[in-house]
Amino acid sequence: MAERSKPEPGHQTTDTDSMEKRPDSKPVSTPPGDDNTLVSDADVDVEAYAAEEQETTGTDPNVVDWDGPDDPENPMNWSVKKKWLNIAVLSILTFVTPLGSSMFAPGVPAIMNEFNETSATTATFLVSIYILGFAFGPLAIAPLSEIYGRRPLYFWGNIFFVIFTVCTALSKNIGMFMAFRLLMGLSGAVPVTIGSGSIADVMPVEKRGRAMSAWAMGPLLGPCIGPIAGGYLIEAAGWRWVYWLIAIMGGFCIPVSLIWLRESFAPVLMEQKTRRLRKETGNPDLYSKLSARAPPKEEFRLAIVRPLKLLLLTPIVTLMSLYVAIVYGILYLLITTFSFVYAGQYGFSEGNIGLTFLPAGLGMLIGVIVFGALSDKIVKHNKEKGNTHKPEIRITPVLTIPSGTALPVGLFLYGWTTEYTVHWIVPMIGVLIFSTGLMGVMFSVQNYLLDTYPRYAASCTAAISLLRSLLGALLPLGGLEMYNALGFGWGNSLLGFISLALIPIPLAFFMFGERIRGKFNPKL
């Protein structure tokens, strides 16, 4: 007999109750959300929905549902240990792949010399081509994860990442090197793209801040810590050993993910349960409550355009992604100047240049811890007061004004102290301030979009990643010419004024976001 337990009265519907539907089944309804489920169409008739649910699932014996509100198969009901073990594995995966973006940066001069290249644009593109993979990879990764689940993407993405890393280490010319770095970026984008979706699968809204903090340390600290180790490794053993080390670390993650990483996407788990029950009961008419009537090809067609729909048709995703993209591009532009500033103006050696990335990493660490804890505290306090949770609480001025203001302050300090060659510790403090603010901005925006579109968390991340990574890859190409024309003082001041002008964006959505969500609600 099909299992079709209904939540008991008063039971809160989790995010998993409103996830995407699966193929090969009859049409079913998805809940509009409550304290733990936040969707863009807030003005839903709850009574009408409840009546519809009673009609569609309460009388159909072929519907397969969770075994009540406490079903241990439901990812929201996993034990605390199991949830955090999953997040820990995700954090490891998400730490390794971003290392490829900048760990070899101190060795760019050696690579250019070995392959007989002299173009400054080529030197910059060696770093940024990896980020192009992070830009376009998510457009396929996100929809695939919403059809086939998270775990297969993590596993196979890591395998291909290791293969392409080995190929990069064996490169014989500059073309081969850049081609495999691009492929590294495409495959390495998997954990960065769907990690936030995996967290939304298992964590209630009031605990996502801490979980996101733990996961975010990997993709944010990796590009900053990597060059520190990379500088000394390149100095001692050559640039190829950077890629051998990354391949070894990625190879270690393959058995780790195979053993401990579990599928968390509710529609996939429910479909697996449905297939098992069909086999056990001999009833071919059983179908998942979270399934869809669209055939697989149609479902993939809808899923593949979803990130672009979110990016182009929803002002919330468009403007927030633009904000993150600009500040992220500025970060990568700053990173490309470190070698010139600290080697040329302060006389740092090739190995010691790697240490100049440490302030950025420390700033990000501070930002993750402070804004992650503060975000959860604000959400919890709001719920304790009896208020209905709204996504806009994630971008309250308490979070966005300090973080947004830190960006121009850090840029002004870095720019003018390097312009006049003030002691190297002062521009490093500027980078630390900028990085702390950057984390506050990115953290607030990502949590806001995650709460706004929980069913499509991976697609939201893909939309953000597209703009963010494009600017991260392309801005440094023209940025060095800007510094040549304006100098470090006015060049960074220009970036500071731009970041200052962006502060009103989250404030506008804090005040009018609910109204905008109701007006712009495309079919996803």
Side-chain angles (χ1 to χ4, degrees), residues 361-381:
L362 288 175
M364 289 181 179
L365 183 60
I366 293 170
V368 164
I369 294 173
V370 170
F371 290 102
L374 188 58
S375 178
D376 274 356
K377 186 176 181 180
I378 291 172
V379 171
K380 186 177 180 181
H381 179 68

Side-chain angles (χ1 to χ4, degrees), residues 197-214:
S198 296
I199 290 172
D201 293 342
V202 301
M203 284 294 185
V205 66
E206 69 274 9
K207 294 182 180 179
R208 284 183 194 157
R210 282 179 295 168
M212 287 286 288
S213 295

Side-chain angles (χ1 to χ4, degrees), residues 76-95:
M76 281 288 179
N77 296 328
W78 286 357
S79 67
V80 173
K81 179 181 178 181
K82 186 175 181 180
K83 289 182 179 182
W84 282 103
L85 181 60
N86 232 47
I87 293 172
V89 175
L90 296 182
S91 297
I92 294 171
L93 291 173
T94 317
F95 174 77

Side-chain angles (χ1 to χ4, degrees), residues 17 55 61 144 228 277 281-282 321 332 362 370-371 380 458 460 518:
D17 292 323
E55 180 181 350
L144 287 172
I228 299 173
L277 288 175
T281 63
S321 297
Y332 265 84
L362 288 175
V370 170
F371 290 102
K380 186 177 180 181
C460 276

Side-chain angles (χ1 to χ4, degrees), residues 156-405:
W156 287 106
N158 194 37
I159 289 177
F160 283 115
F161 176 76
V162 172
I163 292 172
F164 296 138
T165 302
V166 171
C167 292
T168 306
L170 298 173
S171 295
K172 302 298 183 183
N173 54 62
I174 200 73
M176 182 178 178
F177 179 86
M178 289 197 291
F180 282 116
R181 264 187 67 76
L182 175 62
L183 293 173
M184 280 179 66
L186 289 169
S187 55
V190 172
V192 178
T193 302
I194 61 178
S196 59
S198 296
I199 290 172
D201 293 342
V202 301
M203 284 294 185
V205 66
E206 69 274 9
K207 294 182 180 179
R208 284 183 194 157
R210 282 179 295 168
M212 287 286 288
S213 295
W215 168 77
M217 288 184 185
L220 295 166
L221 293 181
C224 297
I225 293 177
I228 299 173
Y232 290 107
L233 181 59
I234 291 166
E235 196 173 45
W239 66 267
R240 294 181 190 272
W241 262 102
V242 167
Y243 291 98
W244 289 121
L245 178 60
I246 294 174
I248 292 169
M249 295 172 68
F252 168 77
C253 291
I254 293 174
V256 169
S257 59
L258 183 63
I259 296 171
W260 284 294
L261 193 62
R262 293 289 174 262
E263 180 59 64
S264 62
F265 193 47
V268 170
L269 293 173
M270 190 80 79
E271 192 63 32
Q272 292 173 354
K273 180 178 181 179
T274 302
R275 288 196 297 266
R276 185 177 72 245
L277 288 175
R278 284 176 190 151
K279 186 175 181 180
E280 291 175 356
T281 63
N283 182 0
D285 296 327
L286 296 179
Y287 65 95
S288 164
K289 177 187 175 183
L290 301 179
S291 59
R293 54 183 165 180
K297 287 185 178 179
E298 177 65 14
E299 186 179 8
F300 182 77
R301 187 190 67 80
L302 294 172
I304 200 73
V305 299
R306 188 174 296 120
L308 292 177
K309 272 189 173 183
L310 285 165
L311 187 59
L312 300 176
L313 301 180
T314 56
I316 289 175
V317 178
T318 303
L319 293 177
M320 287 300 204
S321 297
L322 184 63
Y323 190 6
V324 169
I326 291 174
V327 297
Y328 192 81
I330 292 173
L331 171 67
Y332 265 84
L333 183 53
L334 287 183
I335 288 176
T336 61
T337 68
F338 288 174
S339 297
F340 302 99
V341 168
Y342 292 106
Q345 296 184 202
Y346 295 99
F348 280 44
S349 68
E350 190 178 60
N352 288 336
I353 285 176
L355 295 174
T356 63
F357 290 81
L358 189 57
L362 288 175
M364 289 181 179
L365 183 60
I366 293 170
V368 164
I369 294 173
V370 170
F371 290 102
L374 188 58
S375 178
D376 274 356
K377 186 176 181 180
I378 291 172
V379 171
K380 186 177 180 181
H381 179 68
N382 186 60
K383 293 187 74 173
E384 287 174 348
K385 290 169 63 177
N387 298 329
T388 301
H389 177 78
K390 295 181 180 180
E392 284 70 32
I393 198 70
R394 297 290 193 182
I395 51 173
T396 175
V398 175
L399 296 171
T400 54
I401 290 180
S403 57
T405 305

Side-chain angles (χ1 to χ4, degrees), residues 456-475:
Y456 310 119
S459 291
C460 276
T461 304
I464 296 174
S465 296
L466 176 61
L467 276 187
R468 183 186 69 190
S469 299
L470 277 176
L471 280 188
L474 300 178
L475 190 58

